Structures are given as structure tokens and as C-alpha cells.
Amino acid sequence: MASLDLREGVDLTPLFGGRPNVNAVRQVERGAAAHIRSKSSGEYRAAGAALPLVTVVIPTFNRADLVEQCVRSVMEQTYPNIEILVSDNASSDETLKRLSAIDDDRLRVVTSQTNVGAIGNFNKCIDEARGDYFVLAADDNFYRPQFVEKCVRLIEIEPDLPIVLSAYDVLIVNEFSDNDRRIVPARLSKKLSTGVWQGTDILQEYLHGRISAQLLSSLVRTDILRRNGGYNPHPCASDEATWIPFLLEGRAGLVNEPCATYMVLRESVTEGFTADQRLSDLCAVMDELSDVAEEKIPDPALRARIQRLLTRYVAYMAGVNLVIYRRGGGGLPDAVRTLWNWRGLLGRCSLADFLTTWRLRSVSRIIFPSPVARWATKIGLDKIG
């Protein structure tokens, strides 16, 4: 499928107007893909073969506009055997009214009488899902039409794969001011093509920062997800804690192209957790994943390499958290103080870990004030390094 030809710095204002209308981007994606869309979604399967049911779950709370757009994005999937499950977490807006107006047999809506929290709502989705495979789509995600179909093609090659990952673009909304729109294209592996690989090969690419993948752009086996205890309760790094263990189950699929878009709103960048909480939680998750690697990877050399990369990933995410902290209005002296306070958490990381992960653009985003960072982004200087 042809990828959406948007790059950093593209002016998306004509598409969006003054607010994040994800339907506009969905229309662009549809146009980019129309000429290659399969005429028959089932043609690629052998005659009489059973289609695995894929449940795409969308937990939501008080975001009627976004959840409706997300549902309609999923409805456009070319793969025929999907269940669209929305779990409404006691919304007080028009969420249920909007969803009840959608006439599609694949859509099922479940509700909570009281708010059960984000992770509680995610786990309710897991309990309610009927599919063999599971996709966790936040209500501000949207998808290219062939996302599920491309993933299932790899499951056909090796049935019962624990996980199939694809890449995703990031749409940044209101980064520096209202009406700012910027697409950050997905990072794609230069080493691994679309296909079935050892899960540890894909994990190493991810930990090296060579591919952008998360739970939102993945199909995971529902039975393994339940066996692992559902959505991991870590408050800040729960996604990584939930899906990375699937890569340690053995073989895994990779669709090495962008199949989803993740929207980041300025107000969500600093919402809920401090930089200290995010990094501390990430360190705890990396320690847990190191223990899983100890159990699941028999080869000592490979196990040590994965554990080393998990530590290196902490150094990388420390830089990301400082960038987020600065974008949220934190001053440079406070950022330096925060980094110093992290010395206990970061003591596990070597100087080489920082030198290989803190690229010029990340350092510039930490050092420079927002007006300079905005100017650098606009002229493309932040893409260097």
C-alpha cells in the first residue's frame, strides 16, 4: 500500500481548520490508498479457510468527536472479520448518542456506570473482546484501511503468531500554538522488511529506535494477553510493559510501513504525570522486562544483548522526558536539576548510552527556548542529527 506522503513541517491547516478534525486526515489517507485497495478483502485467503476474528477495542471517556472519528476509521478496514468494541467509561458528553447513530453490525458498545479509570477500562475491553486477535486503539488514533488485512496476511504465513506489529505516524496538534499541525513520519526498519522474524530481532530494532511501533499499531493474541494478566497496571509505561513480552514468545510479524496515526495534543503532553514519575516507572518496567528476558531467552549472548538494550532505552527515554518537560513550560535550569536528580535512576546507563541516543535535535529541544525550537522545527534544523 502506498504510504501517506506527508512530512514534518507540512501545513495541515487547510485540512483541519482551527481544530483537530481527524476526518480530514482520514480522507487524505483514503485517497492515497484508493488505487491499491483490494476489490475483495477475502481474495488473498485460500478458499474455505477460516478468517481469524480481530477485535479492535476503543476505550473512551468524554471525547465524543474523537471516538466517532476513530470508529469510522476502523469501519473502513478492508479486512472483513472484525469486531469494533467501544468501552465508554461513564462519559457525560454525547459519546453514547453519537455511537448509537452509527449503523454497523460490527460495532458493539459497552458502558460503565461509574468511571473505572483508564487501566480498568482497558482491561474491561480485554474481558469483553471476542476476537482471536486484539488491537487497542485509543480514541484519538486512526488507521489506514489495510492495517488489519496486512497484519493477518503474516498470520497466514505462520498461524497463531503471538504478535504482528506495524509502524505509525504521529500527528502533533497545537505543539507551539493553536492551529499548529505537524506530521512526524513513522520510523521504518532498514534492516527488517515486512515478514515474519524472530521476535527478538524486531525488539532490537525497536530498542535501537529504528522503528516506531506500539500497541496501537499491533495485533496481539487475545489468549496470551489474558494469560499475561491483561493490560499492565504500570501508570506511565504500561504499553511497553504489555506488548514487549509478546516479542519474547518466539516468532513475530512485522509490517514495515505506517498503518496508523497517533495524535498528540499539546494539553496531553504533560497531563497526569511528572517527568520523575514517567522515568521512574519506565525503569521499573525495563527491570521487569529484563526478568522476562532472563526467563524466555535461552541463548546467554542474545539475552545479555537484549538486557543491555533495555538499559540503553532508559537513557534514550530520559532525553525524551526532558524534551516533554521543556515543551510543557519547564525552564532550562529546572531541566538540568531534574537530570541531576535522576542520577540514581540513570546510574545503570553508560556514557555510550547517552552519546548514541541523545541526538542533536533532542539536545537542541532541551536547551533552546520554545520560540527558537519552533523556528528550528519550521526550517528543518531539528531534523539534523
Side-chain angles (χ1 to χ4, degrees):
M1 173 177 162
S3 60
L4 179 63
D5 188 17
L6 294 175
R7 297 291 183 266
E8 290 185 304
V10 166
D11 181 12
L12 296 180
T13 303
L15 292 178
F16 288 92
R19 58 197 292 272
N21 180 355
V22 296
N23 186 52
V25 167
R26 183 164 52 83
Q27 289 172 351
V28 173
E29 290 183 338
R30 187 191 311 127
H35 67 286
I36 49 78
R37 187 180 300 184
S38 172
K39 292 181 180 179
S40 172
S41 300
E43 283 179 355
Y44 63 90
R45 297 196 58 88
L51 291 164
L53 177 63
V54 176
T55 297
V56 181
V57 303
I58 309 170
T60 191
F61 173 66
N62 278 350
R63 300 218 282 187
D65 287 341
L66 288 174
V67 72
E68 181 182 1
Q69 303 281 9
C70 182
V71 168
R72 294 192 183 281
S73 167
V74 177
M75 286 167 56
E76 292 184 356
Q77 291 298 301
T78 58
Y79 183 73
N81 199 22
I82 65 170
E83 172 191 37
I84 306 170
L85 174 65
V86 178
S87 181
D88 177 63
N89 202 5
S91 293
S92 58
D93 64 359
E94 292 189 340
T95 293
L96 294 178
K97 180 180 178 182
R98 296 282 191 90
L99 294 175
S100 64
I102 298 175
D103 183 17
D104 193 305
D105 291 341
R106 299 170 297 175
L107 176 62
R108 184 161 60 97
V109 179
V110 296
T111 61
S112 296
Q113 295 303 310
T114 58
N115 192 300
V116 296
I119 290 177
N121 200 24
F122 295 162
N123 280 319
K124 181 174 182 178
C125 292
I126 296 170
D127 291 340
E128 290 280 349
R130 297 168 179 166
D132 306 294
Y133 282 85
F134 182 98
V135 179
L136 178 60
D139 54 18
D140 52 7
N141 302 152
F142 38 104
Y143 294 89
R144 285 165 166 76
Q146 288 189 316
F147 160 55
V148 175
E149 180 178 333
K150 287 174 181 285
C151 292
V152 172
R153 285 177 181 171
L154 298 181
I155 296 169
E156 288 185 302
I157 295 172
E158 289 195 24
D160 299 324
L161 281 173
I163 183 172
V164 180
L165 294 97
S166 69
Y168 65 93
D169 297 322
V170 177
L171 170 62
I172 303 177
V173 178
N174 301 339
E175 181 179 16
F176 298 105
S177 63
D178 291 344
N179 302 324
D180 274 353
R181 307 286 185 267
R182 185 163 65 96
I183 287 280
V184 180
R187 296 187 304 276
L188 304 179
S189 176
K190 296 179 180 178
K191 180 180 179 182
L192 305 179
S193 59
T194 294
V196 179
W197 301 88
Q198 289 299 325
T200 49
D201 292 338
I202 300 174
L203 178 56
Q204 289 178 81
E205 286 291 279
Y206 174 78
L207 293 174
H208 273 294
R210 296 170 184 159
I211 183 169
S212 51
Q214 280 291 351
L215 204 53
L216 73 100
S217 57
S218 305
L219 267 65
V220 299
R221 283 245 311 268
T222 308
D223 60 336
I224 297 178
L225 184 59
R226 288 172 176 154
R227 186 192 72 194
N228 290 351
Y231 193 74
N232 194 286
H234 276 279
C236 306
S238 47
D239 254 30
E240 291 91 339
T242 299
W243 70 264
I244 287 179
F246 282 80
L247 293 177
L248 301 177
E249 293 284 338
R251 304 274 281 174
L254 172 65
V255 178
N256 192 38
E257 61 181 88
C259 292
T261 301
Y262 170 53
M263 183 163 64
V264 178
L265 301 170
R266 180 176 56 192
E267 54 268 27
S268 67
V269 167
T270 57
E271 187 177 35
F273 302 102
T274 66
D276 291 346
Q277 289 172 323
R278 285 194 294 268
L279 188 67
S280 178
D281 194 55
L282 178 73
C283 288
V285 167
M286 293 301 109
D287 288 341
E288 289 181 11
L289 293 174
S290 182
D291 291 341
V292 176
E294 191 74 33
E295 175 190 348
K296 295 282 189 177
I297 303 176
D299 177 23
L302 176 59
R303 182 170 63 244
R305 187 157 64 249
I306 294 294
Q307 290 171 329
R308 188 78 205 84
L309 284 173
L310 290 169
T311 299
R312 181 181 181 273
Y313 187 72
V314 170
Y316 165 71
M317 289 303 296
V320 171
N321 276 300
L322 285 179
V323 171
I324 293 172
Y325 179 75
R326 291 284 279 140
R327 285 292 177 271
L332 180 58
D334 290 333
V336 172
R337 225 173 353 256
T338 297
L339 182 59
W340 174 252
N341 292 337
W342 287 347
R343 63 191 183 278
L345 292 173
L346 299 178
R348 67 185 72 192
C349 305
S350 68
L351 178 60
D353 291 331
F354 293 99
L355 293 176
T356 55
T357 59
W358 284 38
R359 298 180 180 180
L360 176 60
R361 61 176 173 263
S362 299
V363 174
S364 67
R365 287 169 177 169
I366 295 169
I367 294 175
F368 295 130
S370 289
V372 177
R374 180 180 184 180
W375 171 79
T377 299
K378 193 171 274 191
I379 67 173
L381 286 181
D382 74 328
K383 300 177 188 176
I384 301 174

